[in-house]
Each structure stands twice: as structure tokens, then as C-alpha cells.
Amino acid sequence: MNKKHISEENLNFDMSSNVLKFLSEEQKEYIRNIMFSVNFSKGEIIFKQGTPMLHIVFIIGGMAKIYIEDNNNKNIVISLIKPGEIIGGPGFYTDYKHHFSVTALENTTACFIEVAAFKKMILESPEFGLEFIRYRNIRHINFYDKLRVTSHKQMNGRLAHTLLYLSDTVYHSNSFKTTLTRQDLADMSSMTKESAIRVLKSFKESGIIECQNNDFEIKNKTALKNILESG
Amino acid sequence: MNKKHISEENLNFDMSSNVLKFLSEEQKEYIRNIMFSVNFSKGEIIFKQGTPMLHIVFIIGGMAKIYIEDNNNKNIVISLIKPGEIIGGPGFYTDYKHHFSVTALENTTACFIEVAAFKKMILESPEFGLEFIRYRNIRHINFYDKLRVTSHKQMNGRLAHTLLYLSDTVYHSNSFKTTLTRQDLADMSSMTKESAIRVLKSFKESGIIECQNNDFEIKNKTALKNILESG
DNA sequence: CGCGAGCTTGACGTTGTTCAACTAGAGTGG
DNA sequence: CCACTCTAGTTGAACAACGTCAAGCTCGCG
């Protein structure tokens, strides 16, 4: 993990793609001066559930998974984070703890902004506060969707949900190569690795998807959406 | 449903028990003038998932359930709301829609504040914005807990979670009388009504709880917590 | 060549839902 | 005062969904 300050180009890119874009020029300059970046290798933990939340983090390269760790080794993958996206968990201005862990899925560069600076921005600029509320609320809405799927859909529907999320939200393509393991797919769908494999196989056999190893192709998205709705 | 303005005593009571207490005196006065209250009978819907979110609501009397409605008649009860508590859903400053429904569990009085007024308060006072962020984040943290329980615990653990929530957070007592039906308890625990009944029976038979009709008594809270943790 | 991590498959047992029947109590109307 | 009905609660049996366990596989890497 090597720590460094950010080149200005990178920073401008980042600030235009998340909630930071609502800062004034002066504020951006301030943030620019105090933030720092760290490179993580694939598999490294960016931060760990239960530890103090000292920074708001955002990713400027690579990809990471956000997941809740359960007592008995069962994880729930909540979402994947791509370049430009910010991670400001619900610990902000509450207990200042991380309520989930974040791990790099490939080599990933993360930027760190102290929470105190973030709070300062909100106090200086209530418009920014509103935008941050919007960001938090969108996360919350996504979460409602996840709860609905995990409590009332069965395995086919849950895995369909995961595949559609990967295709529509993460990779923006019907065919994609991923670094996610079968265990990760299972953790995204609230089932065991073995079950995920079996459901993938049944999707393959009915011609809905193609997949070998980590290459996926969705052949029939309509069918997948039907499975999500009905099952 | 009769609509009326709020007596000042009521209002002061309310404002001291939720996020509104962080408003200035002038702001409180402003809110006092524009808010109105409505009485709901047991079973009446206060607002419905999918409809436009025009107001922030809080309860000054009675009790209500917040629940997500699923396509196929399966509901997920997220939480119960008591007097003093505010309901500002994740639709605020995003899509301005209700992402859940709220129904009165007994005769209930609800106060309505226009969302525009709420937004005005945040723009006037960034400290209030921060407090609102805290309120939203606490809701979000509770939600993490719910997701963990529903995805990885089995029926005994899920119903134990519900009973502990009722005892510790809602009624603040080991014995309580509730207006919740068995179906409500099931919807809080992500299972069918029949399963909820069977689990309650098994808890009764092992002496962990007493219950007849709507009177509940938790005899062995430690056992209940162990069930939540282990299964 | 062998080792190890992730992947795959099958057999089996458990968990939880579904369906149908039955019970109890609370109105309601004759 | 007695049927009648309606709703919530309860129980049992059959069945489907899902996890567990154990074994074998594949493929990259030392």
C-alpha cells in the first residue's frame, strides 16, 4: 500500500462523477490538499467492519466489493464499487464505525478524505449537505430492493437479480468477464456456493446465459427478468 | 380522518423527542404554523408505497407499522413507529416517492410537514442537515441488522429477533400486550403465519416465553438472545 | 510432476412452505 | 336468543427448497 497525493487530472475526473462535484471551487481545492490515495492489490482489505470510520473513501481505479461480515463466516455482498464512486457508510455522524468491510477485487486505487473535513464541507455548504442526503438515500433505496429480493424470492430469482445487477449496473454489457468467484456470486445472492453453481448450470441448460469460468454472457435478458419477478 | 392544527403543548413535546429539536426557535415557530395533524383509526393506511412523498410525517399518538409491500401479497414489516418518532423515508430529495407503506396499528395521530419546508430548514441550517443525516444513517444501520438476520438466520433466530425488538425497543418491558397479529409477527420475521405460530409454540413449550392471544411475556431473555446468535 | 485453490457433482437430511381442515370468538340479522 | 358469517388463530400431512457433506475435478503454478 503506497500512499501519495493525487494528480490534479485524476481529481477533476473524480469530483465530476460523485457527490463531490457539488463542492465550490475553493472547497475542491481544500479537499485536494488534504486527501491522499493508497494502492491496494487484489484481495487486500481496504477497510474492515467494526473499525473506526476515520475517512470517507472513493475509488479512482479498479473495483471493490462492499460486504457485511457475519459471525459464522457467512458474508453478504451488498454492492460493487467502481471508479468515481464514493463510500460514505452509515457510520458517518453516528457511531463513526464501519458497518461493512471493503476488499479490492482487482488492483485498486482508493482516495481518503477525513470525516472531519467532510463534516466541515456540509457545515459550510448546506446544498452539499442535501446532496449528501440524496446520496445516502439512494443507497438506502437500493437496500430496500435487496431486502425484498432476499426475503421473498427463491434461489433462481435471487441469482437472476445478481446477474442483472452485474450486467446493468456494474459492467453495462450483456457479456462480461469478472474477477468475482462463485463464492462471491453466492454471497451476493444469499445462498451457498454449491447452490449458486447449480442455479448457474440450470440457467445455462435453458439457454438463458452462457458462462465458462469467469466469462458470462446473458443470452436472454427478458427471461432473466421474468425469473426475478416470478420466483 | 379529521385534519387540524396542533396545540402548542403537543408540539413542544414532539419537537423535543426527534430530529426537530435541533431547529432554532424561529424555525420551530415556522413549522408550527404550517404543519397539520390527522387522526387515523386502527387499520387505516397513513400513506402508501409508490405514492408521491409530499410530507415528512411524525406520530404524536398511537402506533404504526412501516412495511414494504411485495408484488405477491407478501409484506416485510421494517419497524414500528411510536409517538415522537419521525418518518422521513429515503424518497426525500431523491425521487420523492414513498418506498414503504405505513398503517395505523391502533388509533393514531400523525403530523404532516411539507417536504419543501423540510428542505428549507436544511438549507437555512446546515447543523440541522447534519442531524437529519444522522437520523437517516441510524435507520440505515438498523436495516443492516435486519438484512443480516433475514439472510442468514433461520426461523427460530428470526422470530427471536422480532420478540427482542418488541421487548427492548418498542414496549420496553419483558411483558407486553400488542395489537400485532400473527401475520404481522410473521411479516416482521420473514416467514409465513403458520411458521410463526409453530415457532411461538416451541418457544412456549421450552419455557422461554408465555403467550396467549396478544399477551406476551418473555421468561428467559438470555435464551432468546442465544437463539438469535446461534441460529 | 505434484500441489492447492476454486469449481463441480451427487446423495442425503433438514428447514420451511403449502394446502386443507378445524377451532374460537366477535359481530350481525332474523 | 339463536343461527350465520367472518376473521384470526391453530394443527397436521405432504411436498418442495435449500444446505451440508463428501468426493472428484480442473487448471495454474512452483
Side-chain angles (χ1 to χ4, degrees):
Chain A
M1 301 198 247
N2 58 69
K3 183 167 161 175
K4 62 179 176 187
H5 280 266
I6 314 291
S7 75
E8 197 166 318
E9 313 85 71
N10 262 349
L11 191 63
N12 286 332
F13 168 72
D14 296 319
M15 290 203 173
S16 67
S17 62
N18 65 41
V19 71
L20 295 177
K21 73 180 166 196
F22 296 101
L23 292 173
S24 71
E25 282 310 312
E26 287 166 62
Q27 290 175 318
K28 282 182 185 169
E29 181 61 29
Y30 170 74
I31 293 288
R32 194 173 285 145
N33 286 328
I34 61 160
M35 77 194 301
F36 59 89
S37 78
V38 178
N39 293 319
F40 293 89
S41 302
K42 178 176 175 174
E44 284 184 339
I45 294 175
I46 296 175
F47 59 76
K48 177 91 180 163
Q49 180 177 323
T51 60
M53 180 191 189
L54 304 174
H55 301 88
I56 301 276
V57 175
F58 65 100
I59 302 292
I60 61 174
M63 189 173 291
K65 62 173 172 178
I66 294 185
Y67 58 104
I68 299 175
E69 299 189 54
D70 226 340
N71 307 333
N72 43 359
N73 265 344
K74 301 201 170 192
N75 295 334
I76 308 171
V77 173
I78 298 174
S79 60
L80 305 185
I81 299 295
K82 290 175 300 176
E85 291 183 5
I86 202 164
I87 311 170
F92 180 74
Y93 210 65
T94 55
D95 58 1
Y96 282 114
K97 285 188 179 170
H98 289 300
H99 289 269
F100 44 67
S101 296
V102 181
T103 292
L105 289 169
E106 46 194 78
N107 293 342
T108 295
T109 305
C111 292
F112 290 74
I113 305 170
E114 279 184 27
V115 285
F118 219 80
K119 183 179 164 190
K120 184 163 175 283
M121 297 299 102
I122 292 173
L123 286 175
E124 277 177 19
S125 156
E127 292 82 6
F128 180 66
L130 269 176
E131 295 298 337
F132 189 66
I133 288 171
R134 192 208 309 267
Y135 156 73
R136 293 301 311 150
N137 278 348
I138 289 173
R139 294 278 143 171
H140 206 142
I141 291 171
N142 292 338
F143 222 60
Y144 276 38
D145 202 39
K146 186 154 189 71
L147 186 66
R148 198 193 335 265
V149 171
T150 56
S151 32
H152 286 326
K153 303 293 183 187
Q154 38 200 58
M155 292 200 300
N156 288 351
R158 298 204 301 271
L159 193 67
H161 187 249
T162 296
L163 291 173
L164 289 168
Y165 169 70
L166 291 176
S167 166
D168 294 341
T169 307
V170 178
Y171 296 109
H172 297 291
S173 165
N174 284 339
S175 65
F176 51 86
K177 190 181 187 66
T178 181
T179 55
L180 294 164
T181 64
R182 296 293 187 268
Q183 184 66 58
D184 287 327
L185 293 176
D187 289 343
M188 295 174 79
S189 315
S190 295
M191 64 185 71
T192 61
K193 177 187 54 179
E194 292 92 332
S195 291
I197 289 165
R198 276 185 258 263
V199 176
L200 279 178
K201 190 183 176 190
S202 82
F203 284 176
K204 249 196 285 194
E205 283 169 357
S206 43
I208 297 172
I209 65 167
E210 274 302 321
C211 81
Q212 44 185 343
N213 300 326
N214 293 328
D215 287 309
F216 288 80
E217 183 178 356
I218 296 175
K219 312 282 277 185
N220 188 343
K221 187 168 279 192
T222 313
L224 217 48
K225 284 179 184 167
N226 288 339
I227 290 171
L228 171 57
E229 288 312 316
S230 66
Chain B
M1 298 196 251
N2 58 68
K3 184 167 161 176
K4 62 178 178 188
H5 281 267
I6 313 293
S7 74
E8 197 164 319
E9 313 82 74
N10 262 347
L11 192 65
N12 285 333
F13 169 71
D14 297 318
M15 290 203 173
S16 67
S17 62
N18 65 41
V19 70
L20 295 177
K21 74 180 166 197
F22 295 101
L23 292 173
S24 71
E25 281 310 313
E26 288 166 61
Q27 288 175 320
K28 282 182 186 169
E29 182 61 29
Y30 170 74
I31 293 287
R32 195 172 286 146
N33 286 328
I34 62 161
M35 77 195 301
F36 59 89
S37 78
V38 178
N39 292 320
F40 294 88
S41 302
K42 178 175 176 176
E44 284 185 336
I45 294 176
I46 296 176
F47 59 75
K48 176 91 179 162
Q49 179 176 324
T51 59
M53 179 193 190
L54 304 175
H55 301 89
I56 301 277
V57 175
F58 65 101
I59 303 291
I60 62 174
M63 191 173 290
K65 63 173 172 178
I66 294 185
Y67 57 104
I68 300 175
E69 299 190 52
D70 226 340
N71 308 333
N72 43 359
N73 267 344
K74 303 203 170 190
N75 296 334
I76 307 171
V77 173
I78 298 174
S79 59
L80 305 186
I81 300 295
K82 289 174 300 173
E85 291 183 4
I86 202 164
I87 311 171
F92 180 74
Y93 211 64
T94 56
D95 58 2
Y96 282 114
K97 285 187 179 171
H98 289 300
H99 289 271
F100 45 68
S101 296
V102 181
T103 292
L105 289 169
E106 46 193 78
N107 293 343
T108 294
T109 305
C111 292
F112 291 74
I113 305 171
E114 279 184 28
V115 286
F118 218 81
K119 183 180 163 189
K120 183 164 175 282
M121 296 300 101
I122 292 172
L123 286 175
E124 277 177 19
S125 157
E127 292 81 4
F128 180 67
L130 268 177
E131 295 298 337
F132 189 67
I133 289 171
R134 192 208 308 265
Y135 156 73
R136 294 301 311 151
N137 279 348
I138 289 172
R139 294 276 143 173
H140 206 142
I141 290 171
N142 292 338
F143 223 60
Y144 276 38
D145 202 38
K146 185 154 190 68
L147 186 66
R148 200 194 332 267
V149 171
T150 57
S151 32
H152 286 326
K153 302 293 184 189
Q154 38 202 59
M155 291 199 302
N156 288 350
R158 298 206 299 274
L159 193 68
H161 186 248
T162 296
L163 291 174
L164 289 169
Y165 169 69
L166 291 176
S167 166
D168 294 342
T169 308
V170 178
Y171 297 107
H172 298 290
S173 166
N174 285 341
S175 66
F176 51 87
K177 189 182 188 62
T178 180
T179 56
L180 294 165
T181 64
R182 296 292 187 267
Q183 183 66 59
D184 287 327
L185 292 176
D187 289 343
M188 294 174 79
S189 315
S190 295
M191 63 184 70
T192 61
K193 178 188 51 179
E194 291 92 333
S195 291
I197 289 166
R198 276 184 258 265
V199 176
L200 279 178
K201 190 182 176 189
S202 83
F203 284 177
K204 247 195 289 193
E205 284 169 358
S206 44
I208 298 172
I209 64 167
E210 273 303 321
C211 80
Q212 43 185 347
N213 301 324
N214 293 328
D215 287 310
F216 287 80
E217 182 178 358
I218 296 176
K219 311 284 277 188
N220 189 343
K221 189 167 278 193
T222 313
L224 217 48
K225 284 182 183 166
N226 287 340
I227 290 170
L228 170 58
E229 288 311 317
S230 66

